[in-house]
Amino acid sequence: MNTKLSVINTHKSKDNLIILADKTDLNWSNAYLSNTEQTFLKNAIKKGVSHVFFPQAERAIIVQFLKLNGDESINKEEARMLGNDILTIIEHYKLDTVTLVNHRPNNHVLEYLEGMLLGNYQFLKYFTKKKDKANSLQTIKVTKDFAPKKSIDELKAITTATCIARDLVNEPQSYLSAAQMSKDIQKIGKECGFDVEVFDEKKIKRLKMGGIIAVNMGSFTPPRFNILEWKPTKAKNKKPIVLVGKGIVYDTGGLSLKPTPNSMDKMKCDMGGAATVVGLLAAISKAKLPLHVVGLIPSTDNRPGNNAYAPGDVITMYDGTTVEVLNTDAEGRLVLADALHYAKKYKPELVMDFATLTGSAARAVGAEGTCYMGTAEKEVKDKVVQSGYNVYERLVEFPLWREYGDQMKSHIADLKNLGGPAAGMVTAAKFLQHFTDYPWLHFDLAGAAYLSKSNSYRTKEGTGVGVRMIFNFLKNY
Ligand code: BES
Ligand code: ZN
Ligand code: ZN
């Protein structure tokens, strides 16, 4: 569910207001608050409170101060978290509409609004009594002078797209088969303005996408290969930027079955990378970024059914590489490898892939960040890391040392899909690297894509991680 965001000329006397203000400047206050309220506010400031709630006859006024003590990245994050915190007060008083008024000459108001919009997200589809479960807040209004129109439009695009990604992750596989995900992507493409082409099982087999076919063998539903494209007429880049997303709609581990609980039970999140790519195409097309961007999503579930691929099997990948499968739970790299090979046909400027790929990445950084590595130039890496800090989706680089690649050599085939016991996120990436011949970045989202309980504006379950970060990177590209 999306919170409505609208821009109005001026607010009216009955509108609930959140006034974003600076503690050292209360010149605005006699226009909104009585003398006693102003005195109360001054005393509250002395005590160091961050907001004050004033019930008035026909509306409420919340005065919100933004703490700004840390560095820029932390300041912005504090503002997002305060935006999320105020939702508790709004819910407590059952307000359905609030108008934000800016009496503070800095730009953290946008992050505050971002925190409100993302924190108010709910996934209510499967409740029979949705109205009872819904948050009271339905609409946020901002006045024209709140922030430049372009920034508001962009924020709307990013937050909507993040919620699209969250929705996709939150959908259980009982609904979201690979085929259904393609239908959803087509619908999202129509709404946002990007093109979608879908390869069905026949086409995937004709192309001999051996990684996708192998993973799908134990499944009862067919695989898909999705191609998403945003190609504006005045694109700044001649060669496209390609985004690849792991689209395993459910990962049981296959015959190398995962244990449950605490492992298989959250594996509807295994298309988190695909959700990031869909969210990105949605954000980019909604914001009409002048960049040619292609999204590739190989998709299937991973199951131990009838004809499932088995440990010891040797398969032939789309690019002709042979792979000894030693663990059917290391399926993500197999479907991604086919997509990374497909990406070569675009002669891309840069390829970025997103995947809930390894438990090892999740263990290394938890939900606090994303492991990344790749062959792109240092300048590109520095920029993407900075974007991570800008939106507080932080990145940690791991080294693609040759020795890790040696672990992926097989005695019976060109590669095997399983490395040693250490640095699993790197050995997986070394496997993927084999299928690339262009500047490439790989993001292992296993820790950050899915939360068992909410963390401020990162609501529980799907987080939509990567959408805000890579949008920030592309917008400055
Ligand atoms: N989908 C999992 C990785 C994962 C783990 C995602 C935790 C989200 C949270 C992936 O397909 C997997 O099972 N990886 C194995 C690979 C191993 C068998 C080489 C892993 O990391 O344990
Ligand atoms: Zn797996
Ligand atoms: Zn997986």
Side-chain angles (χ1 to χ4, degrees):
M1 187 214 63
N2 251 311
T3 314
K4 269 182 248 124
L5 173 62
S6 56
V7 180
I8 54 173
N9 287 333
T10 48
H11 55 81
K12 301 202 184 79
S13 62
K14 287 183 188 174
D15 289 349
N16 299 310
L17 301 181
I18 297 180
I19 298 175
L20 294 161
D22 190 310
K23 283 181 181 171
T24 60
D25 173 14
L26 297 181
N27 281 337
W28 53 270
S29 62
N30 58 357
Y32 297 97
L33 304 174
S34 69
N35 287 341
T36 44
E37 285 170 334
Q38 288 179 56
T39 309
F40 186 91
L41 183 63
K42 279 177 198 146
N43 287 329
I45 290 173
K46 281 184 202 143
K47 290 177 194 153
V49 302
S50 67
H51 77 264
V52 184
F53 181 91
F54 293 108
Q56 295 187 339
E58 291 185 289
R59 67 162 172 201
I61 288 195
I62 296 167
V63 179
Q64 173 79 62
F65 302 111
L66 301 182
K67 292 187 245 178
L68 296 167
N69 309 318
D71 70 14
E72 203 44 20
S73 160
I74 292 173
N75 285 348
K76 287 180 179 171
E77 183 64 359
E78 291 273 354
R80 289 182 200 103
M81 287 166 72
L82 287 169
N84 176 71
D85 291 349
I86 211 66
L87 297 171
T88 315
I89 308 292
I90 292 171
E91 184 63 25
H92 182 79
Y93 291 98
K94 301 274 176 239
L95 308 181
D96 64 8
T97 305
V98 296
T99 301
L100 300 194
V101 180
N102 185 7
H103 280 290
R104 178 182 186 87
N106 76 61
N107 51 13
H108 294 92
V109 295
L110 279 168
E111 281 78 16
Y112 183 83
L113 176 55
E114 185 178 25
M116 289 185 78
L117 289 166
L118 292 174
N120 202 42
Y121 168 84
Q122 290 181 290
F123 185 70
L124 298 174
K125 180 175 166 188
Y126 293 102
F127 286 111
T128 47
K129 292 184 177 141
K130 297 182 186 46
K131 279 215 175 103
D132 297 353
K133 293 279 179 182
N135 293 340
S136 66
L137 181 64
Q138 299 293 317
T139 307
I140 300 175
K141 295 180 185 172
V142 295
T143 45
K144 270 195 314 199
D145 53 356
F146 182 78
K149 183 174 183 305
K150 188 167 179 268
S151 325
I152 296 283
D153 287 346
E154 200 176 278
L155 182 66
K156 218 172 171 173
I158 302 165
T159 52
T160 305
T162 302
C163 294
I164 287 173
R166 288 177 177 181
D167 277 348
L168 283 169
V169 172
N170 292 342
E171 279 292 358
Q173 63 138 4
S174 50
Y175 166 80
L176 201 73
S177 61
Q180 184 61 49
M181 184 157 80
S182 291
K183 285 185 195 159
D184 281 20
I185 294 171
Q186 281 167 323
K187 185 161 169 257
I188 295 163
K190 265 208 189 99
E191 282 162 9
C192 300
F194 61 86
D195 295 326
V196 182
E197 188 185 354
V198 181
F199 294 170
D200 62 6
E201 184 170 26
K202 237 167 102 185
K203 175 98 192 225
I204 290 168
K205 285 191 167 154
R206 184 144 38 85
L207 292 175
K208 299 200 173 79
M209 292 179 151
I212 303 172
I213 294 164
V215 176
N216 183 253
M217 275 166 63
S219 174
F220 295 91
T221 55
R224 291 286 185 268
F225 188 85
N226 307 281
I227 302 170
L228 296 64
E229 187 164 21
W230 168 248
K231 193 176 184 181
T233 42
K234 284 184 190 136
K236 282 195 217 157
N237 54 334
K238 287 220 172 63
K239 303 195 269 172
I241 294 165
V242 178
L243 311 173
V244 177
K246 171 176 173 183
I248 298 294
V249 290
Y250 196 75
D251 185 9
T252 68
L255 285 173
S256 313
L257 197 63
K258 281 183 189 293
T260 182
N262 286 330
S263 172
M264 196 194 298
D265 39 12
K266 55 179 180 195
M267 277 305 134
K268 70 173 183 180
C269 82
D270 216 16
M271 33 56 69
T276 300
V277 170
V278 177
L280 274 166
L281 265 292
I284 291 163
S285 54
K286 268 177 175 286
K288 300 199 164 35
L289 287 195
L291 288 173
H292 181 195
V293 180
V294 173
L296 301 176
I297 298 174
S299 175
T300 170
D301 52 356
N302 182 24
R303 280 176 172 273
N306 252 345
N307 195 32
Y309 76 138
D313 282 358
V314 175
I315 63 174
T316 303
M317 307 291 285
Y318 179 38
D319 79 335
T321 302
T322 55
V323 175
E324 179 191 15
V325 175
L326 284 177
N327 190 318
T328 62
D329 197 11
E331 83 298 342
R333 60 199 72 181
L334 300 176
V335 300
L336 286 170
D338 285 352
L340 289 172
H341 178 63
Y342 191 86
K344 290 172 193 160
K345 83 169 209 167
Y346 294 96
K347 305 209 178 327
E349 185 159 294
L350 174 66
V351 176
M352 293 185 271
D353 80 69
F354 306 88
T356 48
L357 200 63
T358 66
S360 149
R363 283 189 296 277
V365 295
E368 305 305 332
T370 291
C371 298
Y372 94 100
M373 48 222 110
T375 55
E377 281 172 29
K378 183 173 180 302
E379 201 192 329
V380 175
K381 287 183 176 174
D382 288 347
K383 282 196 175 142
V384 84
V385 167
Q386 184 53 49
S387 290
Y389 282 115
N390 291 345
V391 307
Y392 222 70
E393 291 184 347
R394 291 163 297 180
L395 294 172
V396 184
E397 185 175 10
F398 282 80
L400 286 173
W401 292 330
R402 178 174 52 83
E403 290 77 1
Y404 294 114
D406 293 342
Q407 293 181 31
M408 305 311 286
K409 287 180 185 154
S410 160
H411 72 282
I412 186 175
D414 301 335
L415 291 177
K416 57 187 164 81
N417 78 334
L418 188 63
M425 78 294 262
V426 183
T427 49
K430 289 304 286 185
F431 182 92
L432 297 180
Q433 188 184 352
H434 175 90
F435 301 88
T436 67
D437 67 357
Y438 37 63
W440 164 68
L441 293 175
H442 159 65
F443 299 85
D444 194 331
L445 314 169
Y450 184 92
L451 300 176
S452 301
K453 60 179 205 300
S454 53
N455 171 12
S456 183
Y457 63 90
R458 292 176 176 83
T459 47
K460 68 166 168 288
E461 300 216 304
T463 58
V465 67
V467 175
R468 294 187 303 123
M469 170 182 49
I470 300 300
F471 184 90
N472 189 277
F473 169 75
L474 292 176
K475 150 182 128 171
N476 303 319
Y477 193 76

Short mmCIF file of all heavy atoms in Angstrom, two decimals, residues 47-75:
data_model
loop_
_atom_site.label_atom_id
_atom_site.label_comp_id
_atom_site.label_asym_id
_atom_site.label_seq_id
_atom_site.Cartn_x
_atom_site.Cartn_y
_atom_site.Cartn_z
N LYS A 47 14.39 21.25 27.23
CA LYS A 47 14.54 19.88 27.73
C LYS A 47 15.06 18.93 26.64
O LYS A 47 15.29 17.75 26.90
CB LYS A 47 13.20 19.35 28.25
CG LYS A 47 12.77 20.03 29.54
CD LYS A 47 11.40 19.54 29.97
CE LYS A 47 10.83 20.45 31.05
NZ LYS A 47 9.36 20.45 31.04
N GLY A 48 15.19 19.45 25.43
CA GLY A 48 15.82 18.65 24.36
C GLY A 48 14.88 17.71 23.63
O GLY A 48 15.34 16.75 23.01
N VAL A 49 13.57 17.98 23.65
CA VAL A 49 12.66 17.06 22.94
C VAL A 49 12.78 17.28 21.42
O VAL A 49 13.13 18.35 20.96
CB VAL A 49 11.18 17.23 23.36
CG1 VAL A 49 11.01 17.01 24.84
CG2 VAL A 49 10.65 18.59 22.94
N SER A 50 12.45 16.24 20.67
CA SER A 50 12.59 16.37 19.22
C SER A 50 11.28 16.79 18.54
O SER A 50 11.29 17.30 17.44
CB SER A 50 13.11 15.07 18.62
OG SER A 50 12.14 14.06 18.74
N HIS A 51 10.15 16.52 19.20
CA HIS A 51 8.90 17.03 18.62
C HIS A 51 7.90 17.34 19.73
O HIS A 51 8.02 16.80 20.84
CB HIS A 51 8.29 16.01 17.65
CG HIS A 51 7.60 14.87 18.34
ND1 HIS A 51 8.21 13.67 18.60
CD2 HIS A 51 6.34 14.78 18.86
CE1 HIS A 51 7.37 12.88 19.24
NE2 HIS A 51 6.23 13.52 19.42
N VAL A 52 6.93 18.22 19.42
CA VAL A 52 5.85 18.52 20.38
C VAL A 52 4.53 18.41 19.63
O VAL A 52 4.41 18.88 18.49
CB VAL A 52 6.00 19.94 20.96
CG1 VAL A 52 4.93 20.19 22.02
CG2 VAL A 52 7.38 20.13 21.57
N PHE A 53 3.56 17.77 20.28
CA PHE A 53 2.23 17.60 19.69
C PHE A 53 1.27 18.58 20.34
O PHE A 53 1.12 18.58 21.56
CB PHE A 53 1.75 16.16 19.93
CG PHE A 53 0.41 15.84 19.34
CD1 PHE A 53 0.31 15.33 18.05
CD2 PHE A 53 -0.77 16.05 20.06
CE1 PHE A 53 -0.93 15.04 17.49
CE2 PHE A 53 -2.01 15.77 19.51
CZ PHE A 53 -2.08 15.25 18.22
N PHE A 54 0.62 19.43 19.54
CA PHE A 54 -0.36 20.37 20.07
C PHE A 54 -1.75 20.03 19.52
O PHE A 54 -2.00 20.22 18.32
CB PHE A 54 -0.03 21.81 19.65
CG PHE A 54 1.23 22.35 20.27
CD1 PHE A 54 2.37 22.53 19.51
CD2 PHE A 54 1.27 22.69 21.62
CE1 PHE A 54 3.54 23.03 20.07
CE2 PHE A 54 2.44 23.20 22.19
CZ PHE A 54 3.58 23.36 21.42
N PRO A 55 -2.65 19.55 20.37
CA PRO A 55 -4.02 19.37 19.90
C PRO A 55 -4.69 20.73 19.86
O PRO A 55 -4.63 21.48 20.84
CB PRO A 55 -4.64 18.47 20.98
CG PRO A 55 -3.81 18.67 22.20
CD PRO A 55 -2.48 19.21 21.79
N GLN A 56 -5.25 21.10 18.71
CA GLN A 56 -5.99 22.36 18.64
C GLN A 56 -7.45 22.05 18.36
O GLN A 56 -7.81 20.88 18.18
CB GLN A 56 -5.38 23.26 17.57
CG GLN A 56 -3.95 23.68 17.95
CD GLN A 56 -3.37 24.72 17.00
OE1 GLN A 56 -3.81 24.86 15.87
NE2 GLN A 56 -2.36 25.44 17.48
N ALA A 57 -8.27 23.06 18.31
CA ALA A 57 -9.72 22.81 18.24
C ALA A 57 -10.08 21.85 17.10
O ALA A 57 -10.74 20.84 17.32
CB ALA A 57 -10.46 24.13 18.07
N GLU A 58 -9.61 22.15 15.89
CA GLU A 58 -10.05 21.32 14.76
C GLU A 58 -8.92 20.63 14.03
O GLU A 58 -9.11 20.08 12.94
CB GLU A 58 -10.84 22.19 13.77
CG GLU A 58 -12.17 22.62 14.36
CD GLU A 58 -13.01 23.38 13.35
OE1 GLU A 58 -12.64 24.51 13.04
OE2 GLU A 58 -14.01 22.81 12.88
N ARG A 59 -7.76 20.70 14.61
CA ARG A 59 -6.62 20.04 13.95
C ARG A 59 -5.52 19.81 14.98
O ARG A 59 -5.61 20.27 16.12
CB ARG A 59 -6.08 20.92 12.83
CG ARG A 59 -5.45 22.20 13.38
CD ARG A 59 -4.55 22.83 12.34
NE ARG A 59 -4.09 24.14 12.76
CZ ARG A 59 -3.65 25.04 11.91
NH1 ARG A 59 -3.64 24.78 10.62
NH2 ARG A 59 -3.24 26.21 12.34
N ALA A 60 -4.50 19.11 14.56
CA ALA A 60 -3.32 18.94 15.42
C ALA A 60 -2.14 19.63 14.76
O ALA A 60 -2.06 19.69 13.52
CB ALA A 60 -3.03 17.46 15.57
N ILE A 61 -1.27 20.15 15.59
CA ILE A 61 -0.01 20.69 15.06
C ILE A 61 1.14 19.95 15.72
O ILE A 61 1.20 19.83 16.94
CB ILE A 61 0.11 22.20 15.31
CG1 ILE A 61 -0.88 22.93 14.39
CG2 ILE A 61 1.54 22.68 15.07
CD1 ILE A 61 -0.66 24.41 14.25
N ILE A 62 1.99 19.39 14.90
CA ILE A 62 3.20 18.75 15.43
C ILE A 62 4.37 19.62 15.02
O ILE A 62 4.53 19.94 13.84
CB ILE A 62 3.37 17.33 14.84
CG1 ILE A 62 2.21 16.43 15.28
CG2 ILE A 62 4.71 16.73 15.26
CD1 ILE A 62 2.11 15.11 14.51
N VAL A 63 5.16 20.02 16.01
CA VAL A 63 6.39 20.74 15.67
C VAL A 63 7.52 19.74 15.75
O VAL A 63 7.69 19.04 16.76
CB VAL A 63 6.62 21.91 16.65
CG1 VAL A 63 7.92 22.64 16.29
CG2 VAL A 63 5.44 22.87 16.63
N GLN A 64 8.26 19.64 14.67
CA GLN A 64 9.32 18.63 14.59
C GLN A 64 10.66 19.31 14.39
O GLN A 64 10.83 20.12 13.47
CB GLN A 64 9.05 17.70 13.40
CG GLN A 64 10.16 16.70 13.11
CD GLN A 64 10.13 15.51 14.05
OE1 GLN A 64 9.17 14.77 14.08
NE2 GLN A 64 11.19 15.35 14.84
N PHE A 65 11.61 18.99 15.26
CA PHE A 65 12.97 19.48 15.07
C PHE A 65 13.82 18.33 14.54
O PHE A 65 13.65 17.19 14.96
CB PHE A 65 13.55 19.98 16.39
CG PHE A 65 12.73 21.09 17.00
CD1 PHE A 65 12.01 20.87 18.17
CD2 PHE A 65 12.66 22.33 16.38
CE1 PHE A 65 11.24 21.89 18.72
CE2 PHE A 65 11.89 23.35 16.93
CZ PHE A 65 11.17 23.13 18.10
N LEU A 66 14.71 18.66 13.63
CA LEU A 66 15.60 17.61 13.10
C LEU A 66 16.96 17.74 13.76
O LEU A 66 17.56 18.81 13.75
CB LEU A 66 15.74 17.75 11.57
CG LEU A 66 14.44 17.67 10.77
CD1 LEU A 66 14.74 17.78 9.28
CD2 LEU A 66 13.69 16.39 11.04
N LYS A 67 17.41 16.64 14.35
CA LYS A 67 18.76 16.63 14.97
C LYS A 67 19.81 16.63 13.87
O LYS A 67 19.70 15.86 12.93
CB LYS A 67 18.99 15.33 15.75
CG LYS A 67 18.16 15.12 16.95
CD LYS A 67 18.67 13.87 17.66
CE LYS A 67 17.59 12.80 17.63
NZ LYS A 67 17.94 11.54 18.21
N LEU A 68 20.81 17.43 14.00
CA LEU A 68 21.84 17.46 12.96
C LEU A 68 23.22 17.55 13.57
O LEU A 68 23.86 18.60 13.55
CB LEU A 68 21.60 18.64 12.02
CG LEU A 68 20.29 18.57 11.23
CD1 LEU A 68 19.98 19.89 10.58
CD2 LEU A 68 20.34 17.47 10.20
N ASN A 69 23.69 16.46 14.12
CA ASN A 69 24.99 16.50 14.79
C ASN A 69 26.07 15.70 14.08
O ASN A 69 27.24 15.98 14.21
CB ASN A 69 24.87 15.95 16.22
CG ASN A 69 23.74 16.62 16.95
OD1 ASN A 69 23.57 17.82 16.84
ND2 ASN A 69 22.94 15.85 17.68
N GLY A 70 25.66 14.68 13.32
CA GLY A 70 26.65 13.76 12.77
C GLY A 70 27.17 14.24 11.41
O GLY A 70 27.05 15.41 11.06
N ASP A 71 27.75 13.34 10.64
CA ASP A 71 28.16 13.72 9.29
C ASP A 71 26.92 13.67 8.39
O ASP A 71 25.83 13.31 8.82
CB ASP A 71 29.31 12.83 8.78
CG ASP A 71 28.86 11.40 8.49
OD1 ASP A 71 27.64 11.14 8.42
OD2 ASP A 71 29.73 10.54 8.35
N GLU A 72 27.10 14.06 7.15
CA GLU A 72 25.97 14.23 6.24
C GLU A 72 25.14 12.95 6.09
O GLU A 72 23.92 12.98 6.13
CB GLU A 72 26.56 14.68 4.90
CG GLU A 72 25.64 15.41 3.97
CD GLU A 72 24.76 16.49 4.61
OE1 GLU A 72 25.07 16.99 5.73
OE2 GLU A 72 23.74 16.81 4.00
N SER A 73 25.84 11.82 5.92
CA SER A 73 25.13 10.56 5.74
C SER A 73 24.28 10.23 6.97
O SER A 73 23.13 9.79 6.85
CB SER A 73 26.17 9.46 5.48
OG SER A 73 25.64 8.19 5.74
N ILE A 74 24.85 10.48 8.16
CA ILE A 74 24.13 10.16 9.40
C ILE A 74 22.99 11.16 9.63
O ILE A 74 21.90 10.79 10.04
CB ILE A 74 25.12 10.09 10.58
CG1 ILE A 74 26.02 8.87 10.39
CG2 ILE A 74 24.40 10.03 11.93
CD1 ILE A 74 27.15 8.73 11.36
N ASN A 75 23.23 12.43 9.32
CA ASN A 75 22.16 13.44 9.44
C ASN A 75 20.94 13.04 8.63
O ASN A 75 19.81 13.13 9.09
CB ASN A 75 22.64 14.79 8.91
CG ASN A 75 23.59 15.48 9.88
OD1 ASN A 75 23.72 15.06 11.03
ND2 ASN A 75 24.26 16.50 9.42
#
